[in-house]
Amino acid sequence: MSAESHATTDHEEIRRWAEQRGGKPATVTSTRSDDDAGIIRIDFPGYSGGSSLEEITWEEWFEKFDEQGLAFLYQEKTADGEISNFNKLIRRDHAE
């Protein structure tokens, strides 16, 4: 079985993928300021960054995502057919 990765900039596709896995939009706490979300991540239950990640709104997350010109690289299933949480934020010019 293949463990294909896909890249997208579609907000609904990213949100659907994350929420199906219990993922929530988050920022690296030490990089956040009042007017900037900082470094964004998807936080999953059981894989918490502890005190290093803070949940933010999808609106804040996507604002930073678009501002930084990012694309979402993700995997639906692992090579053995299990649901995958693999994801990575990459520059859009590397997603093509």
Side-chain angles (χ1 to χ4, degrees), residues 5 11 15 23-25 37 54 58 63 68 73 81 90 96:
S5 293
H11 293 189
R15 187 174 183 162
K24 305 229 182 266
E54 176 184 343
W58 279 113
E63 183 178 317
Q68 293 293 310
L73 183 68
I90 60 173
E96 297 164 357

Side-chain angles (χ1 to χ4, degrees), residues 17-34:
W17 181 91
E19 289 179 347
Q20 283 178 341
R21 290 157 174 79
K24 305 229 182 266
T27 182
V28 176
T29 305
S30 63
T31 67
R32 184 176 188 171
S33 66
D34 288 340

Side-chain angles (χ1 to χ4, degrees), residues 13-58:
E13 185 176 350
I14 296 165
R15 187 174 183 162
R16 173 203 55 81
W17 181 91
E19 289 179 347
Q20 283 178 341
R21 290 157 174 79
K24 305 229 182 266
T27 182
V28 176
T29 305
S30 63
T31 67
R32 184 176 188 171
S33 66
D34 288 340
D35 59 348
D36 185 62
I39 298 171
I40 55 174
R41 299 282 183 262
I42 301 290
D43 190 19
F44 295 96
Y47 297 94
S48 175
S51 61
S52 68
L53 293 180
E54 176 184 343
E55 187 174 339
I56 60 175
T57 66
W58 279 113

